[in-house]
Amino acid sequence: MKILVAVKRVVDYAVKIRVKPDKTGVDTQNVKMSMNPFCEIALEEALRIKEAGFAKEVVAVSIGPSQCVDTLRTGLAMGADRGIHVEANSSFLPLTIAKILRSLAEVENPGLIFLGKQAIDDDCNQTGQMVAALLGWPQATFASKVVLDNDKHVATVDREVDGGLETLSVDLPAVITTDLRLNQPRYATLPNIMKAKSKPIKKMTLEDLKVDIKSDIEIVEVTEPPKRKSGVIVSSVDELIDKLKNEAHVV
Amino acid sequence: MTRAVLLRALTKNKFVASNIPRSLSVTNLSRCISTLILAEHESGSIKAQTVSTVVAAGSLGESSTISLLLAGSGSSLHEAAAQAASCHPSVSEVLVADSDKFEYPLAEPWAKLVDFVRQRGEYSHILASSSSFGKNILPRVAALLDVSPITDVVKILGSNEFIRPIYAGNALCTVRYTGSGPCMLTIRSTSFPVTPISADSQSKKATISQIDLSKFKEDSVSRSRYVGQSTQDTERPDLGSARVVITGGRALKSVENFKMIEKLAEKLGGAVGATRAAVDAGYVPNDLQVGQTGKIVAPELYMAFGVSGAIQHLAGIKDSKVIVAVNKDADAPIFQVADYGLVGDLFEVIPELLEKLPEKK
């Protein structure tokens, strides 16, 4: 079985972002970029499944400008077998990304597609669900545990939902999106980083995949959220209670 | 030409869509918004986040019809439908899909159901709450309809213009939907609070219709099956709608210690929250996690004990009216957002609070 994993290059989770003064977006120049944390978890899970003997190959795919190749190299260093870079010079809506992944799935025929549940830049949480819809496959989103049966026909997935944990059983091929507690991604070791340099990364375009760009959403502007009034430090529990009661009126 | 006259003309003469000048096509003509809401229900009543979604739908434009779509099976479904019909005066109709296929809300049959219902009614908008149900299902429906959805809407500026948070809420993005399909949204319920309804509006009941599912084709062999769930049965208020939330971080150090947080929450009539670190460490179950990828809360009072204030946690609490932080570390980032901060040991502060706080009103 082959596993396809989509990985996105995003602003690093620890960076304090700045909104551009012209309100066209967030400043990403000279800012640290990394693989989206949820995508790392997705890749890690795919690698574990391969290491357990359930999959023969893990293919990482990234869609975006040439710097995506760095993200793919990190994925290859973690252990993916090969990478696919779909070139795109503008950022696409999740629906277009989903169509690209659908086309790739039709070529690669994976038994599983793993994605992070959301990207920490746009926080959309849509792409995995859309890929599943376009392929007509079952979906198991917000996964915190994935167990494959020995015949690789069924995945039993625990999902993090509002009320707690829900367990689903899905027939393969299926799309799984990963949540935080699914696993702890490995660090790429130096020998693996070196090995990764010779693993292949195939370049593809939207024309190759016969995908039309969907643009039914326009960004009007990007702004800063309203700032909270700065607070005060109190010096005792008595003072705190007094303020909560008589100033804030919340107790 | 009035809309009614044009509509009659269209249905009578079976105009081909491409013959209609764009400015007169039905979807563009209406200032009339028709919204379908994917409703959630439990134990015979509509969930609070669905009612918030109704409030949001009401602000899409003047003159709108709101249809609530309920699916499930058995008596609790029909109880929920009855309750839904009077859950908010803005609801025009309740559509009920009764079938074993919907006993548990799986994305695959639900998405097909929404498409099925949509084909029978002209909806300009399709909404769901951005709960785990809505987030799981709505994007799947959107892809089936070839529509880009807008998820986690916090403000509605017009029937096609919305604001949503990005970068863990550190930026707000105003977007405009320009497609020809229905406008599809998930709504952040803390941004659309439900105001108590006056007695006269409560008497308004929406119509309840059973959907004829005889032509509903879903794969006879389902490729996705519900196996089970583990949920906390608690009398404490729901995190997403509680007036008070008391949160503990990893500094609580143990499941036992977390009971102090619970005691404080109980004293104040509040809900218990936790940081990712506390959940990862196993002190509390995952449904208590507050943050960018956990629950978003907007209580009147948010108290954080032993919480450092990581960007991802703050994303979940920014709309709280009053934020209180207690932490031993005076440099903890949480103090930058707290309205009241107390630098101290939570193991001393919490017992003192328990002793001195007035009982909840």
Side-chain angles (χ1 to χ4, degrees), chain A residues 13 38 99 117 121-124 126 129-130 137-139 141 160 162-165 167 169 171 173 181 214 216 218 220-223 225 228 231-234 238 247 250, chain B residues 108 131-132 135-136 140 146 148-149 151 164 167-168 172 174-176 178 223 225 227-231 243 280 286-287 289 292-293 295 312 318 320-321 339-341 356:
Chain A
Y13 80 95
F38 291 97
K99 290 177 177 179
K117 84 168 179 185
D121 51 9
D122 58 28
D123 284 327
C124 279
Q126 299 170 17
Q129 296 83 311
M130 294 175 141
W137 291 5
Q139 66 189 55
T141 54
E160 300 217 5
D162 290 341
L165 289 177
T167 306
S169 165
D171 292 339
R181 272 170 283 277
K214 186 80 185 184
D216 50 354
E218 271 168 22
V220 176
E221 65 172 11
V222 174
T223 51
R228 289 184 77 96
V232 294
I233 300 284
V234 298
D238 290 320
E247 197 174 272
V250 283
Chain B
E108 299 81 6
S131 56
S132 50
K135 288 191 285 203
N136 186 34
R140 187 177 178 112
D146 199 30
S148 291
T151 47
R164 62 180 300 274
Y167 287 94
L172 294 175
T174 304
V175 295
R176 189 178 293 133
T178 57
R223 291 181 55 195
R225 294 159 296 277
V227 174
Q229 65 188 25
S230 66
T231 51
R243 194 192 74 87
D280 283 356
N286 69 293
D287 55 315
Q289 181 172 324
Q292 179 185 20
T293 71
K295 299 235 171 22
Q312 294 76 17
K318 278 176 200 243
S320 308
K321 191 157 150 259
D339 298 292
Y340 304 110
K356 294 178 174 174

Coordinates of all heavy atoms in Angstrom, one line a residue, chain A residues 13 38 99 117 121-124 126 129-130 137-139 141 160 162-165 167 169 171 173 181 214 216 218 220-223 225 228 231-234 238 247 250, chain B residues 108 131-132 135-136 140 146 148-149 151 164 167-168 172 174-176 178 223 225 227-231 243 280 286-287 289 292-293 295 312 318 320-321 339-341 356:
Chain A
Y13 N 5.2 28.1 14.1 CA 4.1 28.3 15.1 C 4.5 29.3 16.3 O 3.7 29.8 16.9 CB 3.7 26.9 15.8 CG 4.7 26.4 16.8 CD1 4.4 26.7 18.2 CD2 5.8 25.7 16.5 CE1 5.3 26.2 19.1 CE2 6.7 25.2 17.4 CZ 6.4 25.5 18.8 OH 7.3 25.0 19.7
F38 N 0.7 20.1 12.2 CA -0.3 19.0 12.0 C 0.2 18.2 10.8 O -0.1 17.0 10.8 CB -1.7 19.6 11.7 CG -2.3 20.2 12.9 CD1 -2.3 21.6 13.1 CD2 -2.9 19.4 13.9 CE1 -2.8 22.1 14.3 CE2 -3.5 20.0 15.0 CZ -3.4 21.3 15.2
K99 N -8.5 19.6 -5.1 CA -8.6 19.1 -6.5 C -7.2 18.6 -7.0 O -7.1 17.6 -7.7 CB -9.1 20.2 -7.4 CG -10.6 20.5 -7.2 CD -11.1 21.6 -8.1 CE -12.6 21.8 -7.8 NZ -13.2 22.8 -8.6
K117 N -5.0 18.3 10.3 CA -6.4 18.7 10.3 C -6.6 20.2 9.9 O -7.6 20.6 9.3 CB -7.0 18.5 11.7 CG -6.8 19.5 12.7 CD -7.7 19.3 14.0 CE -7.4 20.4 15.0 NZ -8.2 20.2 16.3
D121 N -1.7 28.7 9.6 CA -1.8 30.0 9.1 C -3.2 30.4 8.8 O -3.8 31.3 9.4 CB -0.9 30.3 7.8 CG -1.0 29.2 6.7 OD1 -2.0 28.4 6.8 OD2 -0.2 29.2 5.8
D122 N -3.9 29.7 7.9 CA -5.3 30.1 7.6 C -6.3 29.4 8.6 O -7.4 29.8 8.6 CB -5.7 29.8 6.2 CG -5.5 28.4 5.8 OD1 -5.5 27.5 6.6 OD2 -5.2 28.1 4.6
D123 N -5.9 28.4 9.3 CA -6.8 27.7 10.3 C -8.1 27.3 9.6 O -9.2 27.4 10.3 CB -7.1 28.7 11.5 CG -6.0 28.8 12.5 OD1 -5.3 27.8 12.7 OD2 -5.8 29.9 13.0
C124 N -8.0 26.9 8.4 CA -9.3 26.6 7.7 C -9.9 25.2 8.1 O -11.1 25.2 8.3 CB -9.1 26.5 6.1 SG -9.1 28.1 5.4
Q126 N -10.3 22.4 6.3 CA -11.3 22.0 5.2 C -10.7 21.0 4.2 O -11.4 20.2 3.7 CB -11.6 23.3 4.3 CG -12.3 24.4 5.1 CD -12.3 25.6 4.2 OE1 -12.2 25.6 3.0 NE2 -12.6 26.8 4.8
Q129 N -11.3 17.0 4.3 CA -12.7 16.7 4.1 C -13.1 16.8 2.6 O -13.8 16.0 2.1 CB -13.6 17.6 4.9 CG -13.5 17.6 6.4 CD -12.4 18.4 7.0 OE1 -11.3 18.3 6.6 NE2 -12.7 19.2 8.1
M130 N -12.5 17.9 2.0 CA -12.8 18.1 0.6 C -12.2 17.0 -0.3 O -12.8 16.5 -1.3 CB -12.3 19.5 0.2 CG -13.0 20.6 0.9 SD -12.3 22.2 0.4 CE -13.7 23.2 0.3
W137 N -14.3 9.0 -1.0 CA -13.8 8.1 0.0 C -14.3 8.5 1.4 O -14.7 9.7 1.6 CB -12.2 8.3 0.1 CG -11.5 7.8 -1.1 CD1 -12.0 7.2 -2.2 CD2 -10.1 7.7 -1.2 NE1 -11.0 6.9 -3.1 CE2 -9.8 7.1 -2.5 CE3 -9.0 8.1 -0.4 CZ2 -8.5 6.9 -3.0 CZ3 -7.7 7.8 -0.9 CH2 -7.5 7.3 -2.1
P138 N -14.3 7.6 2.4 CA -14.7 7.9 3.7 C -13.6 8.8 4.3 O -12.4 8.8 3.9 CB -14.8 6.6 4.5 CG -14.0 5.6 3.6 CD -14.0 6.1 2.2
Q139 N -14.0 9.6 5.3 CA -13.1 10.5 6.0 C -13.1 10.3 7.5 O -14.1 9.9 8.1 CB -13.4 12.0 5.8 CG -14.7 12.4 6.4 CD -15.2 13.8 5.9 OE1 -15.3 14.0 4.7 NE2 -15.5 14.6 6.9
T141 N -11.6 12.5 10.5 CA -10.9 13.8 10.8 C -10.6 13.9 12.3 O -11.2 13.2 13.1 CB -11.8 15.0 10.4 OG1 -13.1 14.8 11.1 CG2 -12.1 15.1 8.9
E160 N -11.0 13.2 18.0 CA -11.2 14.2 19.1 C -12.4 15.1 18.7 O -12.3 15.8 17.7 CB -10.0 15.1 19.3 CG -8.8 14.2 19.7 CD -7.9 14.9 20.8 OE1 -8.3 16.0 21.2 OE2 -6.8 14.3 21.1
D162 N -16.1 17.4 20.1 CA -16.4 18.3 21.2 C -16.7 17.6 22.5 O -16.4 18.1 23.6 CB -17.6 19.2 20.8 CG -17.3 20.2 19.7 OD1 -16.1 20.4 19.6 OD2 -18.2 20.7 19.1
G163 N -17.4 16.4 22.4 CA -17.8 15.8 23.7 C -16.8 14.8 24.2 O -16.9 14.3 25.3
G164 N -15.7 14.7 23.5 CA -14.6 13.7 24.0 C -14.0 13.0 22.8 O -13.5 13.6 21.9
L165 N -14.1 11.7 22.9 CA -13.5 10.9 21.8 C -14.5 10.0 21.2 O -15.4 9.4 21.8 CB -12.4 9.9 22.4 CG -11.1 10.5 22.9 CD1 -10.2 9.5 23.5 CD2 -10.4 11.2 21.8
T167 N -15.1 6.9 18.2 CA -14.3 5.9 17.4 C -15.1 5.5 16.1 O -16.3 5.2 16.2 CB -14.0 4.6 18.2 OG1 -13.4 5.0 19.4 CG2 -13.1 3.7 17.4
S169 N -14.9 3.4 12.2 CA -14.2 2.4 11.5 C -14.4 2.7 10.0 O -15.6 2.9 9.6 CB -14.8 1.0 11.8 OG -14.4 0.1 10.9
D171 N -13.4 2.1 5.8 CA -12.8 1.2 4.8 C -11.8 2.0 4.0 O -12.0 3.1 3.6 CB -13.9 0.7 3.8 CG -14.9 -0.2 4.5 OD1 -14.6 -0.8 5.6 OD2 -16.0 -0.4 4.0
P173 N -9.7 2.6 0.5 CA -8.9 3.8 0.8 C -9.7 4.9 1.5 O -10.9 5.0 1.3 CB -8.5 4.3 -0.6 CG -9.5 3.8 -1.5 CD -10.0 2.5 -0.9
R181 N -2.7 15.0 19.3 CA -2.3 13.9 20.2 C -2.1 12.6 19.5 O -1.8 11.6 20.1 CB -3.3 13.7 21.4 CG -2.9 14.7 22.5 CD -4.0 14.7 23.6 NE -5.1 15.5 23.2 CZ -5.2 16.8 23.3 NH1 -4.2 17.4 23.9 NH2 -6.2 17.5 22.9
K214 N -9.8 27.4 -8.6 CA -11.1 27.9 -8.1 C -10.9 29.2 -7.4 O -10.2 29.2 -6.4 CB -11.8 26.8 -7.2 CG -13.2 27.2 -6.8 CD -14.1 26.8 -7.9 CE -15.5 27.3 -7.5 NZ -16.5 26.9 -8.5
D216 N -13.4 31.6 -5.8 CA -14.7 32.1 -5.5 C -14.7 32.9 -4.2 O -15.8 33.2 -3.6 CB -15.8 31.1 -5.5 CG -15.5 29.8 -4.7 OD1 -14.3 29.7 -4.2 OD2 -16.3 28.9 -4.6
E218 N -12.7 36.2 -2.3 CA -11.7 37.3 -2.4 C -11.3 37.8 -1.0 O -12.2 37.9 -0.2 CB -12.4 38.6 -3.0 CG -12.4 38.6 -4.5 CD -13.4 39.7 -5.0 OE1 -13.7 40.7 -4.2 OE2 -13.8 39.6 -6.2
V220 N -10.7 40.7 1.2 CA -10.9 42.1 1.1 C -9.8 42.9 1.9 O -9.3 43.9 1.4 CB -12.3 42.5 1.8 CG1 -12.6 43.9 1.8 CG2 -13.4 41.8 0.9
E221 N -9.6 42.4 3.1 CA -8.5 43.0 3.9 C -8.1 42.1 5.0 O -8.9 41.2 5.4 CB -8.8 44.4 4.4 CG -9.9 44.4 5.4 CD -10.1 45.8 6.0 OE1 -9.5 46.8 5.6 OE2 -10.8 45.9 7.0
V222 N -6.9 42.3 5.6 CA -6.4 41.6 6.7 C -6.1 42.6 7.8 O -5.3 43.6 7.5 CB -5.2 40.7 6.4 CG1 -4.6 40.1 7.7 CG2 -5.6 39.6 5.4
T223 N -6.7 42.5 9.0 CA -6.4 43.5 10.0 C -6.0 42.9 11.3 O -6.1 41.7 11.5 CB -7.7 44.3 10.3 OG1 -8.8 43.3 10.5 CG2 -8.1 45.2 9.1
P225 N -6.6 42.2 15.3 CA -7.8 42.1 16.1 C -7.8 43.3 17.1 O -6.7 43.9 17.4 CB -7.6 40.8 16.9 CG -6.2 40.5 16.8 CD -5.6 41.2 15.6
R228 N -6.8 44.3 23.6 CA -7.4 44.4 24.9 C -6.8 45.5 25.7 O -5.6 45.8 25.5 CB -7.2 43.1 25.7 CG -8.0 41.9 25.2 CD -7.7 40.7 26.1 NE -8.5 40.8 27.3 CZ -9.7 40.2 27.5 NH1 -10.2 39.5 26.6 NH2 -10.3 40.3 28.7
G231 N -4.0 45.2 31.5 CA -4.5 44.9 32.8 C -3.6 45.4 33.9 O -2.6 46.1 33.7
V232 N -4.0 45.0 35.1 CA -3.2 45.4 36.3 C -2.7 44.1 37.0 O -3.4 43.1 37.0 CB -4.0 46.3 37.3 CG1 -4.3 47.6 36.6 CG2 -5.2 45.6 37.7
I233 N -1.6 44.3 37.7 CA -1.2 43.2 38.6 C -1.7 43.5 40.0 O -1.5 44.6 40.5 CB 0.4 43.1 38.6 CG1 0.9 42.8 37.2 CG2 0.8 42.0 39.6 CD1 0.7 41.4 36.7
V234 N -2.4 42.5 40.6 CA -2.8 42.8 42.0 C -1.9 42.1 42.9 O -1.1 41.2 42.5 CB -4.3 42.2 42.2 CG1 -5.2 42.9 41.3 CG2 -4.3 40.7 41.9
D238 N -7.2 39.0 48.3 CA -8.2 39.9 48.7 C -8.4 41.0 47.7 O -9.6 41.4 47.4 CB -7.8 40.6 50.1 CG -7.9 39.6 51.2 OD1 -8.8 38.8 51.2 OD2 -7.0 39.6 52.1
E247 N -15.2 46.1 40.7 CA -14.8 46.8 39.5 C -15.3 46.1 38.2 O -15.9 46.7 37.4 CB -13.3 46.8 39.5 CG -12.7 47.9 38.5 CD -11.2 47.9 38.6 OE1 -10.7 48.7 39.5 OE2 -10.5 47.2 37.9
V250 N -18.0 40.6 38.1 CA -18.2 39.2 37.5 C -18.4 38.2 38.6 O -18.7 37.0 38.3 CB -17.0 38.8 36.6 CG1 -17.2 39.5 35.2 CG2 -15.7 39.1 37.2
Chain B
E108 N -20.2 11.2 5.7 CA -20.6 10.7 4.3 C -22.1 10.8 4.1 O -22.5 11.4 3.1 CB -20.0 9.3 4.1 CG -18.4 9.3 4.2 CD -17.9 9.2 5.6 OE1 -18.7 9.0 6.5 OE2 -16.7 9.3 5.8
S131 N -18.5 23.6 15.2 CA -18.3 22.6 16.2 C -17.6 21.4 15.5 O -17.5 21.5 14.3 CB -19.7 22.1 16.7 OG -20.4 21.7 15.6
S132 N -17.3 20.4 16.2 CA -16.6 19.3 15.5 C -17.5 18.7 14.5 O -17.1 18.2 13.4 CB -16.1 18.2 16.5 OG -17.0 17.8 17.4
K135 N -17.5 21.3 11.5 CA -16.2 21.3 10.8 C -16.0 20.0 10.0 O -15.3 20.0 9.0 CB -15.1 21.5 11.8 CG -15.1 22.9 12.4 CD -13.8 23.2 13.2 CE -13.8 22.6 14.6 NZ -12.9 23.3 15.5
N136 N -16.5 19.0 10.5 CA -16.3 17.7 9.9 C -17.1 17.6 8.6 O -16.7 17.1 7.6 CB -16.7 16.5 10.8 CG -16.4 15.2 10.3 OD1 -15.4 14.9 9.6 ND2 -17.2 14.2 10.7
R140 N -17.1 19.0 3.5 CA -17.3 17.8 2.6 C -18.5 18.2 1.6 O -18.4 18.0 0.4 CB -17.6 16.6 3.4 CG -17.7 15.3 2.5 CD -17.9 14.0 3.2 NE -18.1 12.9 2.2 CZ -17.2 12.0 2.1 NH1 -16.1 11.9 2.8 NH2 -17.3 11.0 1.1
D146 N -18.9 22.0 -5.2 CA -17.9 22.8 -5.9 C -17.9 24.3 -5.4 O -17.8 25.2 -6.2 CB -18.0 22.8 -7.4 CG -16.7 23.2 -8.1 OD1 -15.6 23.0 -7.5 OD2 -16.8 23.8 -9.2
S148 N -16.3 27.0 -2.4 CA -15.3 27.3 -1.3 C -16.1 27.8 -0.1 O -16.7 28.8 -0.1 CB -14.3 28.3 -1.7 OG -13.5 27.8 -2.8
P149 N -16.0 27.0 1.0 CA -16.7 27.5 2.2 C -15.9 28.5 3.0 O -14.7 28.6 2.7 CB -16.9 26.2 3.0 CG -15.7 25.4 2.7 CD -15.3 25.8 1.2
T151 N -14.9 29.2 6.8 CA -15.1 28.5 8.1 C -14.7 29.4 9.3 O -13.8 30.3 9.1 CB -14.2 27.2 8.2 OG1 -12.9 27.5 7.7 CG2 -14.8 26.1 7.3
R164 N -13.2 36.3 9.4 CA -12.7 35.1 10.1 C -11.3 35.3 10.7 O -10.5 36.0 10.1 CB -12.8 33.9 9.2 CG -11.9 33.9 8.0 CD -12.1 32.7 7.1 NE -11.8 31.5 7.8 CZ -10.6 31.0 8.0 NH1 -9.5 31.6 7.4 NH2 -10.4 29.9 8.7
Y167 N -4.1 32.8 11.7 CA -3.0 32.8 12.6 C -3.4 32.8 14.0 O -2.9 33.7 14.8 CB -2.1 34.0 12.2 CG -1.3 33.9 10.9 CD1 -1.9 34.4 9.8 CD2 -0.1 33.2 10.9 CE1 -1.2 34.3 8.6 CE2 0.6 33.1 9.7 CZ 0.0 33.6 8.5 OH 0.7 33.4 7.3
A168 N -4.2 31.8 14.4 CA -4.6 31.7 15.8 C -5.3 32.9 16.3 O -5.1 33.3 17.5 CB -3.4 31.3 16.7
L172 N -7.2 39.2 11.6 CA -8.6 38.9 11.1 C -8.6 39.1 9.6 O -8.1 40.1 9.1 CB -9.6 39.9 11.8 CG -9.7 39.8 13.3 CD1 -10.6 40.9 13.9 CD2 -10.3 38.4 13.7
T174 N -11.0 39.7 6.3 CA -12.3 40.0 5.8 C -12.4 39.4 4.4 O -11.5 39.7 3.5 CB -12.5 41.5 5.7 OG1 -12.4 42.0 7.0 CG2 -14.0 41.8 5.2
V175 N -13.4 38.5 4.1 CA -13.5 37.9 2.8 C -14.8 38.1 2.2 O -15.8 38.3 2.9 CB -13.2 36.3 2.9 CG1 -11.8 36.1 3.4 CG2 -14.2 35.7 3.9
R176 N -14.8 38.0 0.9 CA -16.1 38.1 0.2 C -16.3 36.9 -0.7 O -15.4 36.4 -1.4 CB -16.0 39.4 -0.8 CG -17.3 39.7 -1.4 CD -17.2 41.0 -2.3 NE -16.9 42.2 -1.5 CZ -16.0 43.0 -1.7 NH1 -15.2 42.9 -2.8 NH2 -15.8 44.1 -1.0
T178 N -17.7 35.1 -3.9 CA -18.1 35.6 -5.2 C -18.6 34.5 -6.1 O -18.7 34.7 -7.3 CB -16.9 36.3 -5.9 OG1 -15.8 35.4 -5.9 CG2 -16.4 37.5 -5.1
R223 N -19.2 2.8 4.0 CA -17.7 2.6 4.1 C -17.2 3.3 5.4 O -16.0 3.3 5.7 CB -17.0 3.2 2.9 CG -17.3 2.3 1.6 CD -16.6 2.8 0.4 NE -15.2 2.9 0.7 CZ -14.4 3.6 0.0 NH1 -14.8 4.3 -1.1 NH2 -13.1 3.7 0.2
R225 N -18.3 3.5 9.6 CA -19.2 3.1 10.7 C -18.8 3.6 12.0 O -17.6 3.8 12.4 CB -19.1 1.5 10.7 CG -19.6 0.8 9.5 CD -19.1 -0.6 9.4 NE -17.6 -0.6 9.3 CZ -17.0 -0.5 8.1 NH1 -17.6 -0.3 7.0 NH2 -15.6 -0.5 8.1
V227 N -18.3 3.3 15.8 CA -18.0 2.2 16.7 C -18.3 2.5 18.2 O -18.9 1.7 18.9 CB -16.5 1.9 16.6 CG1 -16.1 0.8 17.6 CG2 -16.1 1.4 15.2
G228 N -18.0 3.7 18.6 CA -18.3 4.1 20.0 C -17.8 5.4 20.4 O -17.3 6.1 19.5
Q229 N -18.1 5.8 21.6 CA -17.5 7.1 22.0 C -17.3 7.1 23.5 O -17.9 6.3 24.3 CB -18.5 8.2 21.7 CG -19.8 8.1 22.4 CD -20.8 9.2 21.9 OE1 -20.7 9.6 20.8 NE2 -21.7 9.5 22.7
S230 N -16.4 8.0 24.0 CA -16.3 8.2 25.4 C -16.4 9.6 25.7 O -15.7 10.5 25.3 CB -14.9 7.7 25.9 OG -13.9 8.5 25.3
T231 N -17.6 9.9 26.3 CA -17.8 11.3 26.6 C -18.0 11.5 28.1 O -18.4 10.6 28.8 CB -19.1 11.9 26.0 OG1 -20.1 11.0 26.3 CG2 -18.9 11.9 24.5
R243 N -20.6 30.9 31.6 CA -20.4 32.3 31.9 C -19.0 32.5 32.6 O -18.4 33.5 32.6 CB -21.5 32.7 32.9 CG -21.6 34.3 33.1 CD -22.5 34.6 34.3 NE -21.9 34.3 35.6 CZ -21.1 35.2 36.3 NH1 -20.9 36.4 35.8 NH2 -20.6 34.8 37.4
D280 N -2.3 16.7 27.5 CA -1.2 15.8 27.1 C -0.7 15.1 28.2 O -0.3 13.9 28.1 CB -0.1 16.6 26.4 CG -0.4 17.0 25.0 OD1 -1.5 16.7 24.5 OD2 0.4 17.7 24.4
N286 N -9.5 15.2 26.8 CA -9.3 16.2 25.7 C -10.4 17.2 25.5 O -10.1 18.3 24.9 CB -9.0 15.4 24.4 CG -10.3 14.7 23.9 OD1 -10.8 13.8 24.5 ND2 -10.9 15.2 22.8
D287 N -11.6 16.9 25.9 CA -12.7 17.8 25.6 C -12.7 19.1 26.4 O -13.5 20.0 26.2 CB -14.1 17.1 25.6 CG -14.3 16.5 26.9 OD1 -13.4 15.8 27.4 OD2 -15.4 16.6 27.5
Q289 N -9.9 20.9 26.5 CA -8.8 21.7 26.0 C -9.3 23.0 25.3 O -10.2 23.0 24.5 CB -8.0 20.9 24.9 CG -6.8 21.8 24.4 CD -5.9 20.9 23.5 OE1 -5.7 19.8 23.8 NE2 -5.4 21.6 22.5
Q292 N -6.4 27.3 20.1 CA -6.6 27.4 18.7 C -7.2 26.1 18.1 O -8.0 26.3 17.1 CB -5.2 27.6 18.1 CG -5.2 27.7 16.6 CD -3.8 27.8 16.0 OE1 -2.8 27.4 16.7 NE2 -3.6 28.2 14.8
T293 N -6.8 25.0 18.5 CA -7.4 23.8 17.9 C -8.3 23.0 18.9 O -8.7 21.9 18.6 CB -6.3 22.8 17.4 OG1 -5.6 22.2 18.5 CG2 -5.3 23.6 16.5
K295 N -11.2 24.1 22.2 CA -12.5 24.9 22.3 C -12.2 26.4 22.3 O -11.2 26.8 22.9 CB -13.3 24.5 23.5 CG -13.6 23.0 23.5 CD -15.1 22.9 23.7 CE -15.7 21.5 23.5 NZ -14.8 20.4 23.7
Q312 N -1.1 29.8 21.1 CA -2.2 28.8 20.7 C -3.3 28.7 21.8 O -4.5 28.5 21.5 CB -1.6 27.4 20.4 CG -0.7 27.4 19.2 CD 0.7 28.0 19.5 OE1 1.1 28.1 20.6 NE2 1.4 28.2 18.4
K318 N -9.4 34.9 23.8 CA -9.4 36.4 23.5 C -10.7 37.2 23.7 O -10.6 38.3 23.9 CB -8.9 36.6 22.1 CG -7.4 36.5 22.0 CD -7.0 36.7 20.5 CE -5.6 36.2 20.3 NZ -4.6 37.1 19.8
S320 N -12.9 36.7 25.9 CA -13.5 36.6 27.3 C -13.6 38.0 27.8 O -12.8 38.9 27.4 CB -12.5 35.9 28.2 OG -12.2 34.6 27.6
K321 N -14.6 38.3 28.6 CA -14.8 39.7 29.0 C -13.7 40.0 30.0 O -13.0 41.1 29.9 CB -16.2 39.8 29.7 CG -16.6 41.2 29.9 CD -18.1 41.4 30.0 CE -18.4 42.6 30.9 NZ -18.8 42.2 32.3
D339 N -6.6 40.8 32.5 CA -7.0 42.1 33.0 C -6.6 42.3 34.5 O -6.2 43.3 35.0 CB -8.6 42.1 33.0 CG -9.1 42.1 31.6 OD1 -8.9 43.0 30.8 OD2 -9.7 41.0 31.2
Y340 N -6.5 41.1 35.2 CA -6.0 41.1 36.6 C -5.0 39.9 36.7 O -5.4 38.8 36.4 CB -7.2 40.9 37.6 CG -8.2 41.9 37.4 CD1 -9.5 41.6 37.0 CD2 -8.0 43.3 37.8 CE1 -10.5 42.6 36.8 CE2 -9.0 44.2 37.7 CZ -10.2 43.9 37.2 OH -11.2 44.8 37.1
G341 N -3.8 40.3 37.1 CA -2.8 39.2 37.2 C -2.4 39.1 38.7 O -2.2 40.2 39.3
K356 N -12.6 32.6 50.4 CA -13.0 34.0 50.5 C -14.0 34.4 49.5 O -14.7 35.4 49.6 CB -11.8 34.9 50.4 CG -10.9 34.8 51.6 CD -9.7 35.7 51.5 CE -8.9 35.7 52.7 NZ -7.6 36.4 52.6

